[in-house]
Amino acid sequence: MNDFCFSQTQILNILGVEIDRVDFALTLDLIDAWVMQRRAACTVLPPCRQICTVNPEFIVDAQRDPNFAAVLARADLCVPDGAGVLWAARRVGLPLRERVTGSDGIYRICERAATRGWRVFLLGAAPGVAERTAAVLTGRYPGLMVAGCYAGSPADDEWLAIRARLDAAAPDILFVAYGHPRQDFWIDRHRAQLPTAVAIGVGGAFDFVAGVAQRAPLWMQRFNLEWLHRLITQPWRWRRMLKLPVFVALTLLQDKGEQA
Ligand code: UDP
């Protein structure tokens, strides 16, 4: 957890992964502070801040991959995505107010960006999807400044082309939609050179905004059934989704271990 404006946040540790106990309001205030801080800097620019949207899959992956765990530990903000994170938080008596997801976050951040004059850049997803996402968002939030859109790829040989576009666009906020953990590794690897105040990995959020993929209806989200909707609409994800019961089992085992 970093310096600026953090006095109000607290940390929740789930299976060794530290998650910030923030809601959307506080997340937006932190982003606001980081953008202002970078815009106000005269000589030495503050580094690009990294936000990770941590769900149970992230936590299971971090158990298996110490490099991914290190990326999450270095991030400036790990927000609680995923109903499983809220469940685990309740179990340890540190309930969270709400999920802070990339799929909702892209709307909330763009709404704030339109009122504050921040420039946003949409990087990732299949060719053309970022442009469609930008069209939806600018229609919804008049005045939103989209500094650029580019599918690109997280492969190393794409970096120089992406960097040139970002340097020309000079965004305040960079949304990266390469799916986890690739997007989070990519931001971590390049963030010293990223010309933006904040970079956030948003997974499949562009696909949802652009209408390429269907998000679960609100009632399913409310009943914590978003995973079921994903399984029905994207059945090829079944192997990845086995991480959900693994997460539950590891959480229960940890509790047992602590009680013993
Ligand atoms: N993606 C991409 N380049 C890659 C791999 C993935 O642009 O090399 C995009 C893909 O098109 C999709 C997103 O990354 O838009 C991944 O979405 P997913 O729902 O799998 O991410 P998650 O929410 O699970 O992190």
Side-chain angles (χ1 to χ4, degrees):
M1 168 74 66
N2 246 299
D3 47 357
F4 202 68
C5 191
F6 277 111
S7 52
Q8 298 169 67
T9 70
Q10 293 170 290
I11 307 278
L12 168 71
N13 187 316
I14 303 179
L15 297 167
V17 175
E18 293 195 332
I19 298 166
D20 296 289
R21 298 188 64 226
V22 293
D23 56 12
F24 263 120
L26 187 49
T27 301
L28 288 167
D29 285 349
L30 288 167
I31 292 173
D32 213 315
W34 286 331
V35 172
M36 290 304 107
Q37 200 185 31
R38 188 161 166 121
R39 282 190 167 190
C42 304
T43 45
V44 184
L45 287 177
C48 164
R49 312 290 185 154
Q50 177 168 10
I51 303 179
C52 297
T53 55
V54 179
N55 64 27
E57 264 191 88
F58 281 58
I59 294 172
V60 172
D61 289 345
Q63 311 303 303
R64 297 172 178 163
D65 181 353
N67 292 324
F68 186 50
V71 167
L72 298 179
R74 278 194 293 271
D76 295 277
L77 191 64
C78 284
V79 297
D81 192 330
V85 174
L86 268 65
W87 166 79
R90 275 196 307 274
R91 284 183 58 81
V92 293
L94 291 169
L96 296 158
R97 191 195 299 255
E98 60 187 350
R99 293 172 63 196
V100 181
T101 65
S103 304
D104 294 319
I106 190 168
Y107 289 107
R108 303 286 290 262
I109 295 168
C110 286
E111 183 181 29
R112 178 74 66 98
T115 60
R116 305 281 278 145
W118 304 338
R119 298 162 62 78
V120 304
F121 195 106
L122 306 177
L123 178 69
V129 173
E131 287 78 358
R132 283 161 67 183
T133 303
V136 171
L137 292 169
T138 48
R140 195 156 165 167
Y141 307 114
L144 176 68
M145 285 190 275
V146 177
C149 300
Y150 187 50
S153 124
D156 281 341
D157 57 8
E158 266 280 331
W159 162 242
L160 289 178
I162 293 174
R163 186 174 177 182
R165 285 166 192 264
L166 292 175
D167 282 339
D172 297 294
I173 310 283
L174 173 64
F175 294 105
V176 184
Y178 288 140
H180 96 282
R182 271 189 228 112
Q183 63 196 13
D184 309 283
F185 275 119
W186 186 90
I187 296 171
D188 179 72
R189 192 160 66 245
H190 296 299
R191 73 170 161 150
Q193 286 100 46
L194 288 177
T196 181
V198 176
I200 174 169
V202 292
F206 295 1
D207 296 342
F208 292 135
V209 177
V212 172
Q214 207 73 45
R215 193 152 180 220
L218 271 179
W219 72 265
M220 285 187 105
Q221 292 179 40
R222 283 206 192 102
F223 283 100
N224 298 332
L225 292 174
E226 197 157 13
W227 62 272
L228 180 62
H229 185 268
R230 276 205 136 173
L231 190 60
I232 294 166
T233 54
Q234 303 173 340
W236 60 90
R237 298 174 78 101
W238 70 271
R239 200 184 285 275
R240 275 179 58 177
M241 295 187 70
L242 288 178
K243 290 176 192 167
L244 285 174
V246 171
F247 172 75
V248 171
L250 288 175
T251 306
L252 296 175
L253 276 175
Q254 174 180 267
D255 291 357
K256 246 187 160 178
E258 277 166 8
Q259 281 160 19

